[in-house]
Amino acid sequence: MAKLSITDLKDLCAKRVLMRVDYNVPLDETGAITDEKRIKATKPSIDHLIQAGAKIILCSHLGRPKGKRDPKQSLKPCAVALGKLLNKPVAFVDDCIGDKVDAAVAALKDGDILLLENLRFYAEEEKNDPAFSEKLARNADVYINDAFGTAHRAHASTEGVAQLIKKRGGQCAAGFLMEKELKYLGQALANPARPFVCILGGAKVSDKINVIENLLKIADVILIGGAMAYTFRKAQGFNVGGSLCELDKLDLAKSLLEKAKGKKFYLPSDQLQTTKIEAGAPTQITQDPNITDGWQGVDIGPKTIEEYKKVVSTAKLVVWNGPMGVFEIPDFAKGTFEVAQAVADVTQNNGAITIIGGGDSAKAVKKAKLADKVSFVSTGGGASLEYLEGRELPGVAALSEK
Ligand code: AMP
């Protein structure tokens, strides 16, 4: 069912709009924000609300204060940064519930903005505590969620508060950022363009079992890379040397291989291996699926790169989650970067829709300077994985239907 969007909300003038944003920004040791992109990303939704004359109340978490007030994890610097970005004062209140918040909200004029203090200074936030949700909801007529990255968590600010506002007859909508995530990921799964090629890599099969199971049902081809390939190889009875491998997940890998029978499910046909995960360590390329003891696979090899590039070049839809190797070390990054280039090329040359899951694959595409050459880079690592598993995210489920 389609969810209400920020553009569906009418008569926002003078309404108190509580918007969940993701200002979980990186800070340096002095407390300064080192990357403002999460703040910048919320500008379209905030601009829209300013123009509509809403009273804008922003809430977010920052870091992991675990229910304790920690000045180092205050959102105050975000209020300053947002004010500069909008060229407009942004009020800040050093709490997210209670009398001070009530007073700050009461002082808002139409089009004003208020940022509340870190939600996670209260343990009740992550517990989705009903009384805490009630306190958050008290000052809101309308709710917007523009924080896809936390939508897979049923927290007070993502789920509880929305349910309460809906119960009172208020509307709960997706902000522009959230809407874009739902559009790309939702469309990919509900109505995939074909051929639909899915590329899965990263460290562990166990993190992505449900994604593999779900995508085996939907995708036309699955390309496997990264360390998870060695858990599959081990499950097939090969020696994987010192490669990262989940020995306790071999049965699971076997059952996935069984389910993949008759499907286009590719494992790497060669690999780059090394004696140590370290820049400058000795390397060699081998095609034998058995890896000698003392060596470990750290990237897909040139033959696999060519095979995977060829498959990707035919795609009309690509979903990619997880790097092909230890891309953080340049010596082991070729497979990931070449696949990133193939994904960018098929977007540009074949009109394919290409979606990069959050987390490390997003980092890799940015490192390869190709983020603007693919269709969409998801902002939520865990949230996009759960979406790809076919699960409904609590923060999305809680929004009003169109
Ligand atoms: P994930 O969070 O599951 O997507 O895993 C990403 C991590 O997997 C990155 O830090 C990569 O360095 C790591 N990784 C990918 N391939 C390998 C490999 N062959 N051996 C060890 N680590 C790997």
Side-chain angles (χ1 to χ4, degrees):
M1 202 43 119
K3 293 295 179 181
L4 207 67
S5 146
I6 184 168
T7 50
D8 296 322
L9 300 170
K10 305 287 173 239
D11 305 325
L12 285 174
C13 189
K15 293 257 174 69
R16 299 166 306 166
V17 177
L18 178 69
M19 182 156 81
R20 176 59 157 99
V21 290
D22 182 359
Y23 286 173
N24 187 23
V25 292
L27 303 170
D28 68 14
E29 54 293 340
T30 69
I33 301 170
T34 56
D35 185 349
E36 292 185 358
K37 77 170 176 292
R38 291 186 174 193
I39 299 175
K40 287 185 187 143
T42 61
K43 190 170 179 293
S45 291
I46 296 174
D47 281 342
H48 180 86
L49 295 174
I50 295 172
Q51 278 190 359
K55 294 175 176 174
I56 307 156
I57 307 153
L58 304 175
C59 63
S60 176
H61 76 283
L62 171 60
R64 293 197 172 119
K66 301 225 161 89
K68 293 211 175 65
R69 190 168 271 276
D70 173 7
K72 287 199 191 111
Q73 298 183 81
S74 169
L75 280 166
K76 190 160 186 197
C78 294
V80 177
L82 180 64
K84 280 193 192 137
L85 181 72
L86 299 171
N87 201 17
K88 188 176 164 56
V90 172
F92 177 76
V93 58
D94 68 354
D95 213 333
C96 60
I97 51 167
D99 296 345
K100 276 191 217 168
V101 175
D102 298 350
V105 171
L108 289 176
K109 297 193 191 66
D110 299 350
D112 278 358
I113 306 157
L114 170 70
L115 175 63
L116 307 182
E117 183 54 289
N118 196 340
L119 293 156
R120 292 194 189 166
F121 284 179
Y122 289 87
E124 292 92 328
E125 155 67 356
E126 291 184 80
K127 289 185 185 144
N128 198 6
D129 178 81
F132 181 77
S133 298
E134 193 75 61
K135 288 177 193 159
L136 274 177
R138 192 165 71 194
N139 286 307
D141 305 304
V142 176
Y143 172 82
I144 294 177
N145 193 336
D146 216 12
F148 179 74
T150 49
H152 59 313
R153 307 273 183 233
H155 291 169
S157 68
T158 61
E159 208 264 347
V161 74
Q163 298 293 7
L164 285 172
I165 291 175
K166 270 197 316 195
K167 213 185 269 176
R168 285 191 327 224
Q171 292 180 301
C172 298
F176 286 118
L177 265 182
M178 172 74 93
E179 199 184 13
K180 208 169 171 192
E181 296 272 359
L182 300 181
K183 178 181 152 222
Y184 276 99
L185 290 168
Q187 251 173 30
L189 300 187
N191 190 17
R194 298 190 183 277
F196 173 11
V197 175
C198 182
I199 311 166
L200 292 173
K204 294 177 176 172
V205 174
S206 54
D207 288 345
K208 292 175 191 167
I209 319 156
N210 297 330
V211 176
I212 299 174
E213 283 197 327
N214 192 38
L215 292 175
L216 272 171
K217 290 184 239 154
I218 309 172
D220 298 302
V221 187
I222 295 188
L223 305 176
I224 299 285
M228 71 155 85
Y230 305 111
T231 305
F232 284 115
R233 285 294 186 216
K234 184 83 184 167
Q236 289 174 325
F238 296 107
N239 182 21
V240 296
S243 307
L244 188 62
C245 172
E246 290 173 280
L247 292 174
D248 57 337
K249 295 289 177 308
L250 297 182
D251 285 342
L252 190 83
K254 273 183 204 156
S255 88
L256 285 174
L257 286 167
E258 203 50 46
K259 286 183 185 152
K261 271 196 182 142
K263 312 239 166 161
K264 292 191 174 162
F265 183 83
Y266 289 61
L267 289 171
S269 54
D270 63 346
Q271 61 269 333
L272 176 78
Q273 53 190 47
T274 185
T275 51
K276 209 172 185 188
I277 300 193
E278 198 176 270
T283 57
Q284 61 184 27
I285 286 156
T286 55
Q287 288 187 11
D288 189 339
N290 288 295
I291 297 178
T292 319
D293 289 341
W295 291 83
Q296 55 186 308
V298 283
D299 195 9
I300 55 175
K303 190 164 166 252
T304 310
I305 291 176
E306 285 317 308
E307 280 163 7
Y308 284 12
K309 278 168 74 172
K310 207 165 154 200
V311 173
V312 169
S313 74
T314 64
K316 280 287 176 203
L317 172 65
V318 177
V319 170
W320 181 12
N321 192 299
M324 297 290 98
V326 185
F327 74 101
E328 296 91 339
I329 297 177
D331 295 351
F332 313 145
K334 191 168 193 279
T336 301
F337 287 172
E338 292 255 358
V339 167
Q341 186 64 57
V343 174
D345 289 345
V346 77
T347 321
Q348 304 297 320
N349 306 334
N350 206 23
I353 303 288
T354 52
I355 302 168
I356 314 298
D360 275 322
S361 15
K363 267 189 219 154
V365 170
K366 281 175 199 150
K367 214 167 162 189
K369 300 202 168 31
L370 293 169
D372 59 348
K373 299 276 188 295
V374 298
S375 310
F376 182 64
V377 182
S378 174
T379 55
S384 75
L385 264 186
E386 289 199 18
Y387 210 97
L388 294 175
E389 288 173 6
R391 285 210 249 169
E392 189 166 39
L393 311 185
V396 176
L399 300 177
S400 312
E401 307 293 351
K402 258 200 202 277

